[in-house]
Amino acid sequence: MSISESTARRYELQDPDVRLMLLVRDDDAAAFEELMLRYQRRVVTVLEHLVGKRDLAEDLAQDVFMRVYRSRKTYVPGSRFSTWLFTIVNNVASNARRSLARRKEVQVTNPAEQSGSQPADPMERIATAASGMMPTRQLDKSEMGSIVRQAVESLNERQRMAVLLSKFEEMSYADIAETMGMSVQAIKSLLSRARANLKEALQPYLQEGTVP
């Protein structure tokens, strides 16, 4: 798809990360390092929830940033940088899941041990968004995180990606649609179904304060 000069200029003016990527296009190594510092943790976190394995997520994140670097010379800003980046993340994760499926090594649940660097707040926001009720007893962050991770893992691949982009990256419907190659209306329907599924998965905990 051709991107007009006016569109490219608009995103250059609006998005500081687009400006960094344009410096990367000009072989500015410091700009590439800055983009990695800004996004590496976020990319790994989203990938971990998509593929279920921390070590694989870290390897895939390296692949993502290598793709960013290799495509630098053809980069033209037609969206926010984060939208462009997470389109690459989505493609890399989809390829990895297909490869895992072919080898019949898909891991259904996350490993029991979670890295301390994983942000707790976005997961808690997902739980809160799934139901207007507060739990009847206060759980510690690790227990809350485990419950919500299981609920997110129960979603299908497209629902999970849409929820992660919505809650972790706080993307608009339009940006999620562009990232996932779907219409805005389809994304709205996808997120609506995902929220309903999350609410159902979390309902026993939210009602009784017990782990399902």
Side-chain angles (χ1 to χ4, degrees):
M1 181 179 65
S2 178
I3 299 170
S4 68
E5 290 185 11
S6 61
T7 297
R9 181 59 176 166
R10 174 163 56 88
Y11 282 109
E12 181 181 355
L13 292 173
Q14 291 177 350
D15 189 343
D17 292 337
V18 165
R19 294 194 291 274
L20 277 174
M21 187 61 202
L22 290 172
L23 292 175
V24 174
R25 188 177 67 182
D26 295 333
D27 298 320
D28 187 323
F32 183 65
E33 183 178 1
E34 177 63 25
L35 280 175
M36 286 191 64
L37 288 172
R38 291 186 184 189
Y39 284 94
Q40 188 168 31
R41 179 176 169 182
R42 292 157 62 179
V43 167
V44 169
T45 298
V46 169
L47 283 168
E48 183 178 3
H49 284 288
L50 291 173
V51 300
K53 300 179 180 180
R54 180 73 181 190
D55 55 348
L56 177 57
E58 291 172 348
D59 290 343
L60 293 176
Q62 292 183 20
D63 185 19
V64 168
F65 286 107
M66 284 302 299
R67 292 188 185 205
V68 168
Y69 187 75
R70 289 178 188 140
S71 62
R72 69 192 185 282
K73 291 299 183 181
T74 58
Y75 175 73
V76 179
S79 63
R80 293 194 312 163
F81 174 78
S82 61
T83 303
W84 180 74
L85 175 65
F86 280 97
T87 302
I88 297 174
V89 170
N90 188 37
N91 292 336
V92 167
S94 295
N95 291 339
R97 287 194 298 265
R98 282 194 294 269
S99 178
L100 286 169
R102 283 195 298 268
R103 297 200 307 260
K104 298 182 180 180
E105 294 176 358
V106 175
Q107 182 172 328
V108 177
T109 58
N110 279 333
E113 293 182 3
Q114 298 293 330
S115 169
S117 64
Q118 185 166 322
D121 288 346
M123 299 305 290
E124 293 176 18
R125 288 203 301 271
I126 293 174
T128 302
S131 174
M133 296 178 296
M134 293 297 291
T136 57
R137 65 183 177 89
Q138 187 67 38
L139 300 180
D140 62 36
K141 286 186 177 181
S142 62
E143 193 175 2
M144 166 70 84
S146 177
I147 292 167
V148 178
R149 275 191 296 274
Q150 289 177 37
V152 173
E153 283 297 316
S154 72
L155 301 175
N156 66 37
E157 293 174 4
R158 290 201 303 178
Q159 288 179 5
R160 193 183 317 155
M161 184 64 177
V163 166
L164 292 172
L165 293 177
S166 175
K167 294 300 178 182
F168 277 87
E169 293 302 314
E170 300 181 345
M171 284 189 179
S172 66
Y173 289 132
D175 285 339
I176 297 172
E178 183 171 350
T179 298
M180 296 182 66
M182 300 171 67
S183 70
V184 170
Q185 187 56 48
I187 290 298
K188 289 180 179 179
S189 297
L190 190 68
L191 282 170
S192 178
R193 292 194 299 272
R195 293 183 187 115
N197 290 338
L198 281 173
K199 182 175 181 179
E200 182 179 355
L202 292 168
Q203 200 70 20
Y205 153 70
L206 290 166
Q207 284 185 329
E208 301 174 9
T210 58
V211 180

